Amino acid sequence: MDITITVTDGVPIYRQIINQVKYLVASGLLLPGEELPAIRTLALQLKVTPNTIVKAYGDLETLGVVHKRRGSGTFVSEGRPQLAIRERRRVIEQRIDALPKRTS
Amino acid sequence: MGQTVVEVNDLSRSFGSKRALDGVTFHTMAGQVYGLVGANGAGKTTLLKHLLGLLRAATGSVRVFGLDPVRDPVGVLGRVGYLSEERDLPEWMRIDELMAYTQAFHPTWDASYARELIDTFGLDPSKKIKELSKGMRAQAGLVTAVAHRPELLILDEPSSGLDAVVRRDILDAIVRTVTDDGRTVIFSSHLLDEVERMSDHVTLIHQGRVALSGVLDDVRGSYQRSRLHFVEHLVQPPVLETAMVIEGGGRTWSVVHSGSLEQFRRAVVARGGEIVESRNATLEEIFMARAGRSRQVEAA
């Protein structure tokens, strides 16, 4: 899953994950029924404490963006979430900031 | 979660005339990651050594798994993994000998996990410790710290002086330790970026005292950094009650402050200014405000 974390803008990491998953779903880059990475996998990828992923996935479930299936994983729900303009701008800015690092 | 793993109450310690720890209280719960930060000599290592029973509590009490680590070292150390900054490994041993040696102390040693890590790190088991690079020593030390799958993993400045690849190995070990059956990690670091990513809780030790401790997101949520604009040119920094750090000059000032944003806004307006922008402070900004250090809490 294409997520970028920054610790310089004062936004809690779990909130950055929530915003970016919402963005990926809202823009169709994650489709309904698609499975999100396991907690351990995403924690290893982002180099963050696993409890942050647990919290982000939990909040995304409360928001109705994803749902958990017993014994398996976390899946994208039907219906696209709406992002506030400020959140959308922040996600896009973060993705732009991350661009030079990926091409170099 | 919910089980107390470490309970340090009112711990004080002096070395000669120097007060190394002064009334430190520090509790940890299972399944959480605790980041310990503070300048060189602030007392982080001294605190960690008490958890391992390497130092006896002079005043106050130390309990790990409900046990006194000095009186019951076997009961505590068998369930703890430890990587020290010095990585004091026996120089004359080969890596495979070091593994066999460490295994002897740990009935829960997982030999296939140890082999998997050695493989992943690309370590040659027949090499002697004294022939290893700094990064390889850290990797070998890391294997001995985690292969018995400890309930509590203690890492003292694990990233100190290491390159990005080995630092990643160490962070991976932290993630694996926590996701596998809710084990607990305490690590000290001067790399605030690392602490901010890897910690659920953060404790700042400053001159032997706990200057700040709490859930990381709560700590960060209680400090803001605001940019201020004043109508008039100010010769002196504006006097603002909740401000901890004020930088800038003239009509533009940048302030790290605690407490309610609304209260701060009123104070700024009363001085003839306005808040241009406000966001949660970063750990670095908070620690600079609380411990008076910039960039990193200590030099690498």
Side-chain angles (χ1 to χ4, degrees):
Chain A
M1 195 159 58
D2 186 11
I3 286 184
T4 312
I5 295 300
T6 161
V7 294
T8 51
D9 71 350
V11 180
I13 293 172
Y14 79 94
R15 185 142 293 287
Q16 295 182 40
I17 296 171
I18 292 171
N19 288 343
Q20 292 187 54
V21 170
K22 280 165 79 180
Y23 168 84
L24 291 172
V25 175
S27 60
L29 291 165
L30 273 176
L31 296 171
E34 222 175 299
E35 186 175 2
L36 298 189
I39 284 158
R40 174 179 163 145
T41 310
L42 191 57
L44 287 171
Q45 180 197 324
L46 300 178
K47 302 281 172 279
V48 300
T49 158
N51 296 311
T52 292
I53 315 284
V54 172
K55 186 169 185 190
Y57 279 13
D59 283 12
L60 282 165
E61 193 179 19
T62 309
L63 292 166
V65 179
V66 303
H67 57 275
K68 287 186 186 113
R69 285 188 208 149
R70 192 174 291 275
S72 56
T74 305
F75 297 85
V76 177
S77 299
E78 298 291 334
R80 289 186 180 181
Q82 295 295 311
L83 252 76
I85 288 175
R86 248 182 81 192
E87 286 181 349
R88 202 180 315 170
R89 182 184 297 160
R90 192 150 59 208
V91 170
I92 291 169
E93 278 171 2
Q94 269 183 5
R95 296 176 76 86
I96 291 169
D97 285 346
L99 282 176
K101 275 181 252 161
R102 276 185 212 153
T103 50
S104 64
Chain B
M1 210 175 81
Q3 207 182 340
T4 305
V5 176
V6 166
E7 258 188 295
V8 172
N9 288 313
D10 202 21
L11 176 65
S12 295
R13 175 92 199 185
S14 296
F15 296 117
S17 63
K18 190 187 182 297
R19 198 92 160 139
L21 291 177
D22 191 357
V24 169
T25 293
F26 177 69
H27 294 189
T28 72
M29 307 295 276
Q32 305 279 302
V33 183
Y34 292 80
L36 214 53
V37 298
N40 228 345
K44 292 170 296 174
T45 300
T46 307
L47 173 60
L48 295 179
K49 282 187 170 167
H50 278 88
L51 302 183
L52 296 159
L54 299 173
L55 291 172
R56 185 187 299 273
T59 322
S61 70
V62 176
R63 292 289 178 276
V64 180
F65 311 118
L67 304 169
D68 179 342
V70 174
R71 303 183 78 173
D72 193 351
V74 177
V76 172
L77 293 182
R79 297 159 74 184
V80 173
Y82 174 55
L83 181 63
S84 79
E85 191 184 358
E86 294 88 24
R87 303 183 237 292
D88 31 15
L89 303 169
E91 296 290 325
W92 67 90
M93 277 190 195
R94 298 171 9 156
I95 289 180
D96 51 3
E97 289 166 343
L98 174 67
M99 295 304 143
Y101 171 80
T102 315
Q103 179 169 11
F105 293 96
H106 296 292
T108 57
W109 185 265
D110 184 339
S112 68
Y113 183 40
R115 263 196 307 277
E116 181 201 319
L117 287 172
I118 287 173
D119 256 21
T120 310
F121 297 159
L123 294 174
D124 175 358
S126 67
K127 270 219 166 154
K128 286 209 163 123
I129 303 294
K130 66 177 172 209
E131 298 166 343
L132 301 181
S133 70
K134 196 168 182 189
M136 289 170 166
R137 295 168 82 93
Q139 288 169 321
L142 187 63
V143 179
T144 65
V146 300
H148 59 295
R149 301 204 179 267
E151 289 165 66
L152 171 63
L153 178 61
I154 298 176
L155 307 168
D156 190 7
E157 290 286 352
S159 301
S160 181
L162 298 179
D163 62 40
V165 175
V166 183
R167 285 211 306 271
R168 193 194 58 202
D169 291 337
I170 288 165
L171 297 186
D172 282 1
I174 295 178
V175 170
R176 292 210 157 89
T177 303
V178 176
T179 26
D180 298 349
D181 316 322
R183 295 157 200 272
T184 310
V185 177
I186 303 172
F187 78 109
S188 71
S189 179
H190 62 275
L191 299 174
L192 292 181
D193 173 273
E194 214 169 84
V195 173
E196 198 148 4
R197 285 168 172 265
M198 290 307 308
S199 308
D200 299 305
H201 304 257
V202 65
T203 297
L204 168 65
I205 301 199
H206 185 53
Q207 295 172 350
R209 291 168 179 264
V210 174
L212 188 67
S213 191
V215 174
L216 179 66
D217 286 334
D218 293 349
V219 167
R220 294 201 29 192
S222 49
Y223 295 85
Q224 280 99 36
R225 183 183 182 90
S226 299
R227 279 202 301 129
L228 311 181
H229 189 82
F230 289 84
V231 181
E232 297 195 5
H233 186 99
L234 302 181
V235 182
Q236 294 287 326
V239 179
L240 300 161
E241 220 172 77
T242 55
M244 307 181 72
V245 175
I246 305 183
E247 292 165 331
R251 295 164 61 189
T252 311
W253 297 82
S254 184
V255 180
V256 176
H257 55 100
S258 59
S260 114
L261 186 57
E262 201 33 58
Q263 185 195 344
F264 183 71
R265 188 187 307 277
R266 279 198 298 270
V268 171
V269 170
R271 303 270 162 204
E274 59 169 348
I275 299 178
V276 181
E277 186 194 18
S278 214
R279 59 162 172 78
N280 280 348
T282 64
L283 263 194
E284 185 175 313
E285 289 160 349
I286 294 167
F287 291 169
M288 190 168 77
R290 295 300 299 260
R293 301 292 286 255
S294 61
R295 294 309 304 163
Q296 298 175 345
V297 170
E298 72 184 39

